[in-house]
Amino acid sequence: MEICAHEGCNCDVSETYVEQDGKRYCSEECAKGQSCGHGGCSCGGDAE
């Protein structure tokens, strides 16, 4: 399992990801540092 490049972000980016500057993030919003608290990060999943 490959983990999101944001420190502290635990979401799996091995299947669905956005690549930016050679690093993989959960989603486009996550790559921009939005919609994700980066703690128990679940960005790219359903927002609840």
Side-chain angles (χ1 to χ4, degrees):
M1 182 169 84
E2 188 172 348
I3 302 297
C4 177
H6 274 297
E7 187 175 345
C9 180
N10 299 322
C11 49
D12 180 4
V13 294
S14 59
E15 292 183 20
T16 303
Y17 62 89
V18 171
E19 192 163 321
Q20 180 175 298
D21 299 325
K23 297 180 180 177
R24 291 180 178 184
Y25 299 95
C26 311
S27 64
E28 190 173 347
E29 289 81 11
C30 184
K32 293 175 183 175
Q34 301 168 352
S35 78
C36 179
H38 305 304
C41 176
S42 60
C43 48
D46 296 330
E48 292 189 48

